[in-house]
Amino acid sequence: MLFVELRFFVFFAVVFALTWILRNNGQRKLVLTAASYVFYGLWDWRFLGLILFITVVSYLVGGTRAWWADNEAKRRLALTAGIASSLCVLGLFKYFNFFADTFAEFASIVGLPSGHVTLNLILPVGISFYTFQAISYMVDVHRGDIGTRRSVLDVAFYIAFFPQLVAGPIVRASDFIPQMATVRRWADVPVRACLTLFLIGFIKKACLSDNIAPYVDLIFNDPSAFAADQVIAGVLLYGVQIYCDFSGYSDMAIACAGLLGYKFPPNFDSPYLSTNIQIFWRRWHISLSSWLRDYLYIPLGGNRKGEMRRDVNLMTTMVLGGLWHGASFNFVIWGFLHGLALMLERSWGKHVASRIPSLGWVGIVLATAVTYFWVNLAWIFFRATNLNEAIGIARTYLTFSSPGDGRLPISAWLLLMVLGAAHALAHHFKADTYLTRMNPNSYAIAFGALFAVALAFVPLGYRPFIYFQF
Amino acid sequence: MSSRTRFRNIRDAMVPCLLFAGVFVVCAASISTILRHRAGVPEMSVLSPKLAAYQSQPDAYDTLFVGTSRTFYHIVPEVIESSAAEYGCPDLRVFNFGVFGLTGAEQDWLVDQILDAGQGHLRAIVLEDPLPEARATREATSTRARFFNSTGNAGRRIASIMSYPESIAKKVYRIGVLGYGMAYDLSGVGRAATVAFPAAVPDVPETLNLSQDGFEALGSVPTDDILARHKDFEDNPAKFADALARYGAPSNEKVEPRAVYIASRIKALEARGINAALYISPDPLELDRTPRVGEAVRALMPETTVIDLNRPDEYPDLFERGIWFDFSHVGEEGARRLSRHAGQELCEGLKQGRRGVTDAVR
């Protein structure tokens, strides 16, 4: 069930009505948890057991804080076991075949018997997201950032809450669990802001990403058939597609949670306007990058143990972040390219930047362009189905040469310019806040008209969200 | 909270909701209506290639069978022509305009297209009673259905639903599906997208083997659905016998409104000077319905030719189980047998019809 489908609107309307009709906080949480399980069960009911397993493990590990309050060693052991079991589930479903294949290839190279084993496993939708949320709960309770939840329902609700269940944002337990403690009040819900955010997300996903996707597919399916400028435009269009797809999903998820009384942190903040990769990662998939920072980079030592160790930690974090997206060397290279850029930026900042004069706004434009160029180079590896294809497209991207002369059936560069201008203007003028500040009646009229126009731009046939596969 | 305050709160909340709904409906319907014309006629399986082939050389045919899959898979033009010639109507040039799933609105539109291509050469149009409108929600939003879901078609589609001999509950369901389809169309969804974002891979018009003038032997192009239907037929021999036993059984279904509906189509053609006839295909599952519709049409329009082949007593050779492919369609051998009978009946009808054999053999 996608957020842009009619049946989701019906589903949400029922859940919304039930939530606000009920007065009791426990009943609301029960309804929302049940609705979340229905939502997930409609994808594949067989994997409900997996969520339940992870929930129970998280609950038990969280419980050790109360049961073994005086025994740090036991609690640490329980935490390790809990994280390990969650990661085992993730590893089994997501990475088993990747590592088995890689091991078999390596074994054949060095002349060892490979004993190749491949499991025919379906990747449960959203497993990477709810596994990370479960780890967040266990770690946050262990650190004492939040108290142990006595009710397993609270943990189940936190892990399964349907707006973020299948593609994030990855909501920290320390951000979300405290919100459960009190009855959410309708008067506190920023209705217009939520509706506006939903509409923006809907437009990004349904009107932009889904319409652009067929052109991107065309380029990536047969890049050698297209002229170099079209291949490059295709790469940039993919950058637009994945941004609109994922940030659109996040916007809708945040809006849905908001309408149910819960606040999620923002997940995107105009990342393509970043002037370096470090800033890009503060604006792109913020919930994942901050999760990796707090639960991986800092525990690894962060930048506290010297430059060399910092660079190793950075690269480790980015490569693992890449691998989190999928079991493929393409994702590893994607993470490596971002890690490399972060390392180079640090060196540039320390050794070069201070010696050259500031270029003012020209420097900002240049830095933004270079960052955008690098991010899109990395996207090639993210999108391509195999390494050879990625290298071929990257070569065209870097050398501006291609054997083909095919053209897309749309003025891709014009489209990119229009979208870029619209994005920059919307960011600068904060169009969403302007809409939100209208009086209720004017807002209703504008929202009705905008929604009708948006609907007309929805292509026939839905495409699943890109991040559902992660 | 006092009741007055509560009322004021509800009113304050309702006004924006109503404004939203009103503005949305007006804007969406306007966009849909404006862009509907730009969308043009969609590519429709079987129908489009047949219509394109006919429009490219309308003079090549003078007798058209327009109907559902029971026309598509049953009417063999060359057999009709030879059979009609044998019975005194030489030189007929028959085209099979059968399209699976053809509904009333689609049939009306198709006939209009045929007449727009020029009618001077036409000797006869033989209509089959089309399928009931709005059969399933999953079909209500297809591109083909959407083309016919315009508000302009609503009246005659409702008339078709109301005339179909079935229960009130089914009629209500069909009107609901029709409403859903029309609402989907009026929402304008996708209308601007097709204009702003041209298809990455342009649709290739469907090619159809028209070497047999529109006829296709059922099973010659197997699909999962066709094979499943055949298997169901093979696995349930008793169901076929049970269906045959229903012939002549009393029924409460009122067929007169459907006869009026069909008669109005026939009269419209005759008013334009074209011989029109009704073809009723053999169909064991419809034995308690379609023959009665045929009789009712005859009662309304005694001079009209009704080629009613759904009569096991008159045409026992068409109800031998061996010639059937599934419960509603015969295979190629059955289609040839059936077409011989149809050619004979058509010729006899043309000879006795209002315009007579003079026109028929013109």
Side-chain angles (χ1 to χ4, degrees):
Chain A
M1 184 156 46
L2 304 176
F3 287 173
V4 292
E5 279 182 88
L6 179 62
R7 61 181 182 151
F8 175 77
F9 286 79
V10 175
F11 169 83
F12 186 78
V14 172
V15 174
F16 176 83
L18 275 174
T19 301
W20 292 110
I21 286 169
L22 294 170
R23 300 278 176 191
N24 181 287
N25 197 26
Q27 289 172 349
R28 279 187 187 173
K29 283 190 280 190
L30 188 64
V31 163
L32 287 172
T33 308
S36 300
Y37 276 73
V38 169
F39 179 82
Y40 195 78
L42 288 172
W43 290 105
D44 197 330
W45 58 269
R46 291 172 299 175
F47 294 127
L48 285 173
L50 209 57
I51 298 188
L52 270 173
F53 170 74
I54 286 176
T55 301
V56 170
V57 168
S58 305
Y59 174 72
L60 292 175
V61 171
T64 59
R65 185 173 166 77
W67 305 326
W68 296 331
D70 300 329
N71 194 330
E72 169 72 17
K74 274 189 176 177
R75 282 195 286 124
R76 186 169 287 279
L77 189 67
L79 175 69
T80 308
I83 293 174
S85 57
S86 296
L87 291 178
C88 278
V89 170
L90 183 64
L92 176 69
F93 281 95
K94 197 162 178 174
Y95 301 109
F96 182 86
N97 287 343
F98 172 67
F99 286 118
D101 291 346
T102 307
F103 176 76
E105 278 176 31
F106 177 74
S108 69
I109 288 168
V110 297
L112 294 171
S114 64
H116 196 184
V117 178
T118 302
L119 297 179
N120 186 21
L121 295 171
I122 304 167
L123 182 65
V125 69
I127 187 169
S128 308
F129 290 93
Y130 59 74
T131 308
F132 271 33
Q133 296 220 151
I135 292 172
S136 170
Y137 172 75
M138 290 185 272
V139 173
D140 287 357
V141 171
H142 180 81
R143 285 175 177 171
D145 294 342
I146 50 168
T148 300
R149 303 313 297 173
R150 288 186 179 175
S151 164
V152 73
L153 176 65
D154 284 1
V155 182
F157 176 43
Y158 161 63
I159 289 175
F161 189 32
F162 72 86
Q164 46 76 26
L165 175 60
V166 288
I170 301 166
V171 185
R172 304 285 186 85
S174 52
D175 287 335
F176 190 78
I177 299 254
Q179 296 184 54
M180 287 186 204
T182 52
V183 183
R184 316 312 294 167
R185 290 177 351 120
W186 174 247
D188 297 333
V189 174
V191 180
R192 271 172 279 165
C194 289
L195 290 175
T196 305
L197 192 60
F198 190 90
L199 181 64
I200 290 170
F202 183 87
I203 290 170
K204 282 182 189 170
K205 165 61 183 162
C207 305
L208 295 175
S209 175
D210 285 0
N211 277 314
I212 288 169
Y215 306 126
V216 174
D217 292 348
L218 215 54
I219 294 287
F220 277 81
N221 287 345
D222 189 9
S224 59
F226 288 88
D229 74 300
Q230 297 294 288
V231 175
I232 295 167
V235 171
L236 302 186
L237 281 176
Y238 179 65
V240 175
Q241 183 201 342
I242 193 167
Y243 168 69
C244 289
D245 193 280
F246 192 22
S247 75
Y249 177 88
S250 294
D251 289 345
M252 287 188 273
I254 294 166
C256 289
L259 287 170
L260 295 169
Y262 293 90
K263 194 171 185 316
F264 283 176
N267 212 20
F268 289 86
D269 181 17
S270 304
Y272 291 147
L273 300 177
S274 306
T275 49
N276 62 46
I277 296 293
Q278 193 181 359
I279 296 175
F280 175 82
W281 278 104
R282 285 185 201 140
R283 293 170 156 202
W284 176 277
H285 202 174
I286 299 166
S287 62
L288 175 68
S289 53
S290 60
W291 196 99
L292 290 173
R293 182 194 64 209
D294 294 348
Y295 295 95
L296 186 60
Y297 177 69
I298 291 174
L300 282 172
N303 57 5
R304 302 186 305 274
K305 297 183 179 177
E307 281 186 29
M308 177 71 93
R309 181 66 187 271
R310 180 204 65 198
D311 287 349
V312 170
N313 291 342
L314 264 180
M315 189 56 88
T316 306
T317 305
M318 294 315 293
V319 167
L320 286 176
L323 207 54
W324 174 86
H325 286 85
S328 149
F329 281 114
N330 279 23
F331 292 117
V332 173
I333 293 172
W334 175 77
F336 172 81
L337 286 172
H338 277 278
L340 182 67
L342 287 170
M343 285 163 54
L344 291 174
E345 273 173 15
R346 301 249 174 161
S347 296
W348 173 275
K350 186 172 180 184
H351 302 297
V352 184
S354 55
R355 294 183 191 172
I356 57 173
S358 169
L359 297 173
W361 68 268
V362 176
I364 292 173
V365 171
L366 270 176
T368 308
V370 170
T371 306
Y372 184 63
F373 175 84
W374 190 263
V375 167
N376 281 293
L377 173 67
W379 281 140
I380 295 171
F381 292 86
F382 196 91
R383 168 61 178 79
T385 46
N386 59 61
L387 201 52
N388 285 338
E389 181 187 296
I391 290 169
I393 297 172
R395 189 179 296 129
T396 300
Y397 186 74
L398 294 170
T399 63
F400 206 80
S401 64
S402 169
D405 61 356
R407 305 205 67 79
L408 289 168
I410 191 169
S411 303
W413 287 102
L414 180 66
L415 178 65
L416 281 164
M417 281 190 279
V418 169
L419 292 175
H423 182 56
L425 287 172
H427 176 76
H428 183 74
F429 291 107
K430 303 278 178 208
D432 54 332
T433 28
Y434 176 75
L435 199 61
T436 306
R437 282 180 192 153
M438 287 178 166
N439 72 55
N441 291 348
S442 304
Y443 179 82
I445 290 169
F447 190 78
L450 283 172
F451 192 53
V453 173
L455 217 50
F457 280 93
V458 174
L460 303 176
Y462 304 108
R463 275 175 175 259
F465 289 93
I466 293 173
Y467 264 67
F468 279 9
Q469 62 186 298
F470 306 138
Chain B
M1 190 188 294
S2 72
S3 60
R4 181 175 290 182
T5 313
R6 191 174 295 140
F7 174 76
R8 197 166 55 236
N9 286 347
I10 291 171
R11 188 197 61 194
D12 289 349
M14 286 302 290
V15 170
C17 290
L18 291 173
L19 276 172
F20 162 75
V23 170
F24 172 75
V25 168
V26 170
C27 289
S30 306
I31 292 169
S32 177
T33 308
I34 292 165
L35 294 179
R36 160 178 267 279
H37 295 293
R38 206 190 149 106
V41 182
E43 181 72 18
M44 292 181 265
S45 182
V46 179
L47 195 156
S48 295
K50 282 191 174 184
L51 185 57
Y54 177 78
Q55 286 171 329
S56 68
Q57 45 171 353
D59 294 345
Y61 303 101
D62 57 16
T63 304
L64 311 177
F65 279 75
V66 181
T68 68
S69 57
R70 285 176 285 252
T71 296
F72 184 28
Y73 295 127
H74 289 176
I75 297 297
V76 189
E78 60 166 332
V79 177
I80 301 258
E81 287 164 9
S82 60
S83 172
E86 201 178 308
Y87 286 93
C89 303
D91 301 328
L92 286 188
R93 288 165 292 144
V94 177
F95 188 74
N96 176 328
F97 250 121
V99 177
F100 38 67
L102 194 81
T103 63
E106 292 169 350
Q107 190 182 61
D108 289 347
W109 179 83
L110 184 53
V111 169
D112 287 344
Q113 300 302 304
I114 290 166
L115 297 179
D116 286 349
Q119 66 177 75
H121 56 283
L122 285 175
R123 293 180 186 179
I125 293 181
V126 184
L127 299 176
E128 184 193 341
D129 187 5
L131 293 174
E133 302 282 340
R135 286 175 293 152
T137 47
R138 70 176 184 281
E139 293 166 0
T141 56
S142 70
T143 315
R144 172 172 158 181
R146 194 172 184 186
F147 179 67
F148 296 99
N149 278 345
S150 67
T151 44
N153 272 335
R156 45 183 164 175
R157 295 186 71 184
I158 290 171
S160 173
I161 290 170
M162 296 311 290
S163 70
Y164 204 78
E166 60 186 0
S167 67
I168 291 291
K170 283 186 180 173
K171 287 176 183 173
V172 169
Y173 168 77
R174 289 187 199 284
I175 287 174
V177 173
L178 176 64
Y180 171 67
M182 288 178 63
Y184 178 82
D185 180 56
L186 277 176
S187 74
V189 65
R191 288 289 187 207
T194 52
V195 177
F197 298 93
V201 182
D203 290 337
V204 179
E206 181 192 7
T207 52
L208 192 69
N209 181 1
L210 292 169
S211 59
Q212 297 193 77
D213 298 315
F215 165 73
E216 181 179 294
L218 184 53
S220 62
V221 184
T223 63
D224 289 347
D225 179 52
I226 286 173
L227 294 176
R229 290 171 68 111
H230 181 61
K231 185 174 183 308
D232 181 45
F233 178 74
E234 292 290 318
D235 292 348
N236 296 287
K239 188 176 168 186
F240 186 78
D242 291 347
L244 291 186
R246 282 159 63 193
Y247 180 54
S251 169
N252 292 328
E253 288 179 346
K254 284 189 176 176
V255 293
E256 288 75 16
R258 193 62 179 172
V260 170
Y261 172 86
I262 294 167
S264 68
R265 270 66 189 165
I266 291 173
K267 278 179 188 164
L269 285 173
E270 289 181 345
R272 297 182 68 154
I274 296 167
N275 285 306
L278 174 66
Y279 155 65
I280 297 174
S281 175
D283 185 344
L285 300 182
E286 294 279 333
L287 276 169
D288 57 349
R289 180 182 291 157
T290 55
R292 294 171 55 236
V293 173
E295 285 167 19
V297 171
R298 272 203 196 97
L300 281 173
M301 305 176 74
E303 293 179 3
T304 294
T305 303
V306 177
I307 306 170
D308 181 3
L309 304 180
N310 202 16
R311 289 180 294 165
D313 50 348
E314 288 280 328
Y315 303 103
D317 59 325
L318 297 182
F319 291 88
E320 292 167 10
R321 191 167 182 275
I323 65 166
W324 285 80
F325 186 90
D326 61 33
F327 287 107
S328 294
H329 305 94
V330 292
E332 183 166 8
E333 166 58 21
R336 291 184 177 277
R337 278 190 205 177
L338 181 161
S339 296
R340 274 194 288 278
H341 292 301
Q344 177 189 350
E345 290 222 14
L346 174 66
C347 183
E348 284 171 2
L350 287 170
K351 286 179 188 171
Q352 294 162 14
R354 197 171 289 159
R355 301 180 68 204
V357 75
T358 315
D359 282 344
V361 298
R362 181 182 55 190

